[in-house]
């Protein structure tokens, strides 16, 4: 979208930096060059001083000053100590933002942004609030013009390094009362930065969002989002390890990282730019050489979903169930538009069929550069799906047998319009299971309906291998109810959700999830946890299969399944009698990977095939011993047979699950 864009400056400076360093090395090497035999390197080094004449002095000085000067310019950095300095404020009561009014001026040509507006905040606690903890992040915000409540107040504490202010309000805000908080900020990019470049402020594909790490908007009240999450990094900074709330804690549903808001925004940009945002587009007009957009939300939305984009976009549109689905893309990146539109349509229809109405008038998909906070990935905002050019727009899929990742990723992001943008989880371990893993469930079900079972099988096997390969590389592994790593949320999450659907039926799973939506969509509290998810799943699971809930979600369960031999005999009535011998082990693992075998008493698929794709029988049989023989009568001549042939369970070696059937 931008070519080298604003990185060209940093690239040039890095080249200059490298040239000075290379020149310094060359000058030093020339002084150390052995012109005649000497007794050892140390004597050679001591003799260097005598060779430094005025010419060498000038050259060395230029190179050294240039290297240090450019190096100091590149590596100057903001020292963030947010976690260390402000964690204590987390327990302080805070006002909740209910509505946001914005006046946003975007200047893509100079990569600058001016943000002004106000928050309408309410005291939703049971006690008066007389102080506000306010954060604006200096590595995003260049200058603060206004940052104060519309009430007599005084500044009682300030920390410039983290943009923190504690503001005392002269008249405490009583429970149920509201307060306006005004702000006027600028984010400018006068030069370049290596460690904190404002890459979101691109010339083409500018992205300004709200309440996430790297905030552009001010934050009222402590948020855990900017904290260091990796315990290894926390140890390096002398911080204690995180101790998240468990999902079955009695107080688990009391807190959420997010809050529900409405907004009204006036956004202006350069004349050649199109602005994209969540909410409804009320009006577009031009004035004084700029283009203005008025956006407004008619449905409350999650605060982290407030974001604005500006780019030199082309637009394509499709109507789905009376709604507009639009894709905003760089004119040269039109390769995958049909895949995006078909994925959005299929996922939207699936979501409405199983989880309830889509709450917005339309859906927008917008392209952004592959840097900044999106960083090569995708992000779903309410009614808006932001996707990088390298993530979805430039990946041409010419192989007809390849998995259509553009289609499948679109279905996942569309599912977030229910999971994450309606159902907002509690701030506990496993919270993202209710967002990412449930979106993966929609992804794999829509893929199977639209692309077929064979494609979905390849996708699931990829997810299985990704999970197995990454075991032990993250923090100690935990059961799915407490999952936070991507290998669990996405890879293993796909496997366990599909497995449950295979055993109890997709409609039963969706009925449980629909009740979760009915109970918790738009909830102001309590907020759902994985304990609520398991409660609903247990309600639709037969007693004979209840062990699956523990195996899939509450423990780390693996299998070693193998088809050891298979034979057949032709019967007098023309049918074929087959005998299949299998070996089956069931293991439980702890977080460090230590495994122990447990008794097996599971229902597992046993299948017989006439050829690669023609199934003669595929049925779940009870396996209650480590070795079992099955007698199966089929109508056609068997070619292969196996155990768990479609990789429903987490089996570390799927290559030995099928075996050729030989004639007796």
């Amino acid at each position: 979208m931008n070519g080298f864009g604003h990185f060209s400056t940093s690239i040039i400076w890095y080249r200059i930096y490298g040239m000075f360093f290379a020149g310094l090395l060359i000058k030093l090497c020339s002084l150390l060059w052995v012109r005649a035999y000497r007794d050892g390197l140390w004597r050679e080094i001591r003799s260097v001083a005598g060779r430094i004449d005025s010419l060498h002095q000038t050259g060395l000085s230029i190179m050294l000053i240039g290297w240090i000067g450019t190096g100091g310019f590149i590596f100057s950095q903001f020292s963030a100590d947010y976690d260390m300095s402000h964690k204590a404020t987390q327990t302080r009561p805070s006002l909740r933002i209910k509505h946001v009014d914005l006046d946003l001026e975007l200047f893509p040509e100079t990569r600058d942004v001016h943000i002004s507006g106000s928050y309408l905040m309410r005291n939703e606690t049971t006690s008066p609030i007389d102080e506000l903890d306010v954060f604006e992040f200096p590595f995003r915000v260049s200058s603060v013009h206004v940052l104060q409540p519309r009430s007599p107040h005084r500044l009682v504490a300030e920390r410039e390094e983290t943009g923190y202010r504690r503001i005392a309000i002269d008249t405490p805000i009583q429970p149920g009362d509201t307060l306006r908080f005004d702000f006027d900020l600028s984010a400018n990019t006068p030069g370049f930065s290596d460690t904190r470049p404002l890459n979101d402020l691109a010339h083409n594909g500018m992205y300004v969002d709200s309440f996430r790490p790297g905030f552009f908007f001010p934050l009222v009240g402590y948020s855990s989002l900017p904290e260091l999450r990796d315990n290894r990094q926390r140890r390096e900074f002398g911080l204690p390890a995180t101790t998240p709330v468990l999902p079955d804690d009695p107080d688990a549903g009391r807190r959420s990282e997010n809050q529900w808001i409405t907004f009204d925004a006036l956004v202006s940009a350069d004349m050649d730019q199109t602005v994209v945002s969540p909410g409804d587009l009320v009006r577009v007009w031009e004035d004084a050489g700029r283009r203005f957009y008025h956006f407004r939300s008619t449905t409350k939305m999650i605060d982290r979903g407030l974001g604005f984009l500006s780019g030199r976009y082309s637009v394509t549109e499709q109507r789905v169930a009376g709604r507009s689905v639009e894709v905003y893309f760089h004119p040269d990146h039109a390769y995958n538009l049909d895949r995006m539109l078909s994925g959005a349509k299929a996922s939207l229809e699936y979501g409405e069929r199983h989880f309830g109405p889509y709450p917005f008038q339309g859906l927008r998909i917008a392209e952004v550069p592959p840097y900044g906070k999106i960083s090569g990935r995708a992000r779903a905002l309410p009614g808006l799906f932001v996707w990088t050019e390298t993530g979805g727009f430039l990946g041409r899929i010419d192989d007809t047998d390849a998995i259509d990742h553009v289609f499948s990723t679109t279905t996942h992001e569309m599912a977030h319009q229910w999971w994450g943008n309606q159902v907002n989880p509690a701030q506990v371990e496993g919270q993202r299971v209710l967002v990412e893993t449930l979106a993966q469930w929609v992804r794999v079900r829509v893929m199977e309906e639209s692309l077929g079972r064979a494609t979905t099988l390849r996708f699931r096997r990829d997810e299985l291998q990704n999970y197995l390969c990454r075991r032990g590389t993250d923090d100690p592994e935990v059961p799915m109810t407490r999952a936070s790593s991507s290998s669990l949320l996405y890879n293993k999450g796909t496997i366990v959700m599909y497995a449950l659907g295979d055993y109890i039926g997709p409609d039963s799973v969706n009925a449980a999830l629909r009740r979760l939506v009915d109970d918790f969509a738009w909830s102001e509290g309590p907020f759902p946890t994985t304990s609520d998810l398991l409660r609903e799943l247990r309600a639709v699971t037969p007693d004979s299969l209840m062990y699956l809930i523990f195996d899939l979600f509450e423990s780390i369960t693996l299998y070693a399944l193998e088809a050891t031999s298979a034979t057949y005999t032709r019967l007098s009535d023309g049918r074929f009698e087959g005998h299949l011998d299998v070996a089956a082990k069931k293991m439980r693992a702890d977080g460090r990977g230590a495994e122990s075998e447990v008794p097996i008493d599971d229902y597992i698929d046993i299948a017989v095939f006439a050829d690669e794709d023609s199934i003669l029988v595929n049925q779940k049989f009870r396996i209650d011993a480590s070795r079992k023989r099955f007698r199966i009568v089929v109508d056609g001549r068997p070619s292969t047979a196996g155990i768990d042939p479609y990789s429903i369970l987490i089996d570390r070696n799927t290559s030995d699950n099928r075996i050729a059937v030989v004639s007796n």
Side-chain angles (χ1 to χ4, degrees), residues 355 415-421 423 434-435 438-439 442 513 516-517:
F355 312 131
H416 283 312
Q417 300 306 321
W418 288 268
W419 307 111
N421 286 325
V423 176
L434 299 180
V435 179
L438 296 187
V442 175
L513 299 185
L516 206 63
V517 175

Side-chain angles (χ1 to χ4, degrees), residues 67-78:
W67 178 53
I68 294 174
T70 54
F73 178 42
I74 291 172
F75 295 109
S76 60
Q77 61 179 359
F78 168 75

Side-chain angles (χ1 to χ4, degrees), residues 146-167:
V146 176
L147 195 65
Q148 62 188 29
R150 289 187 198 173
S151 177
H153 61 278
R154 64 190 186 280
L155 183 66
V156 295
E158 184 174 15
R159 184 177 177 82
E160 185 177 348
E161 293 85 353
T162 53
Y164 170 72
R165 293 168 174 80
R166 178 177 295 177
I167 299 174

Side-chain angles (χ1 to χ4, degrees), residues 50 65 179 231 240 270 339 625 629 659:
I65 292 170
L179 175 70
N231 281 329
D270 298 344
R339 290 185 166 90
R629 166 168 281 203
I659 193 172

Side-chain angles (χ1 to χ4, degrees), residues 440-621:
Q440 284 294 94
W441 161 254
V442 175
R443 180 182 196 170
V444 74
R445 295 311 315 171
V446 175
M447 285 181 66
E448 188 151 297
E449 289 185 1
S450 303
L451 305 180
R453 188 172 185 180
T455 298
T456 307
L457 176 59
R458 293 200 304 274
F459 174 75
R460 289 191 294 106
R461 283 179 172 163
D462 286 348
E463 297 292 277
L464 175 60
Q465 290 306 310
N466 287 335
Y467 160 63
L468 292 174
C469 289
R470 293 178 63 181
R471 291 191 70 219
T473 61
D474 298 322
D475 284 337
E477 185 178 354
V478 296
M480 283 299 301
T481 53
R482 299 168 54 198
S484 61
S485 69
S486 61
S487 64
L488 297 182
L489 295 169
Y490 296 89
N491 306 138
K492 185 179 181 180
T494 299
I495 303 305
V496 301
M497 289 301 299
Y498 188 90
L500 185 63
D502 183 78
Y503 277 87
I504 71 174
D507 288 342
S508 295
V509 174
N510 285 328
L513 299 185
R514 175 59 188 261
R515 283 194 291 273
L516 206 63
V517 175
D518 291 342
D519 289 344
F520 291 104
W522 319 113
S523 174
E524 300 281 357
F527 303 98
T529 71
T530 52
S531 295
D532 298 297
L533 171 62
L534 294 197
R535 183 189 65 244
E536 298 299 343
L537 293 177
R538 285 192 178 97
V540 296
T541 301
D543 290 343
S544 61
L545 297 175
M546 199 64 72
Y547 71 91
L548 286 168
I549 302 298
F550 181 80
D551 287 352
L552 298 175
F553 297 97
E554 298 179 290
S555 66
I556 304 170
T557 302
L558 305 100
Y559 294 83
L561 307 174
E562 180 185 0
T564 57
S565 70
T567 61
Y568 75 88
T569 302
R570 189 182 184 104
L571 301 176
S572 59
D573 61 3
R575 295 185 301 164
F576 297 84
E577 179 183 83
H579 292 89
L580 173 65
D581 293 323
V582 301
K585 291 183 179 180
K586 183 175 182 178
M587 281 80 66
R588 293 261 161 73
D590 63 15
R592 298 294 179 181
E595 297 176 3
S596 58
E597 187 174 352
V598 296
I600 190 167
D601 189 5
D602 294 32
Y603 290 91
I604 302 177
D605 285 336
I606 299 295
V608 180
F609 300 85
D611 54 41
E612 183 67 25
D613 300 315
S614 179
I615 303 171
L616 295 173
V617 65
N618 185 31
Q619 181 180 340
K620 285 179 169 57
F621 288 87

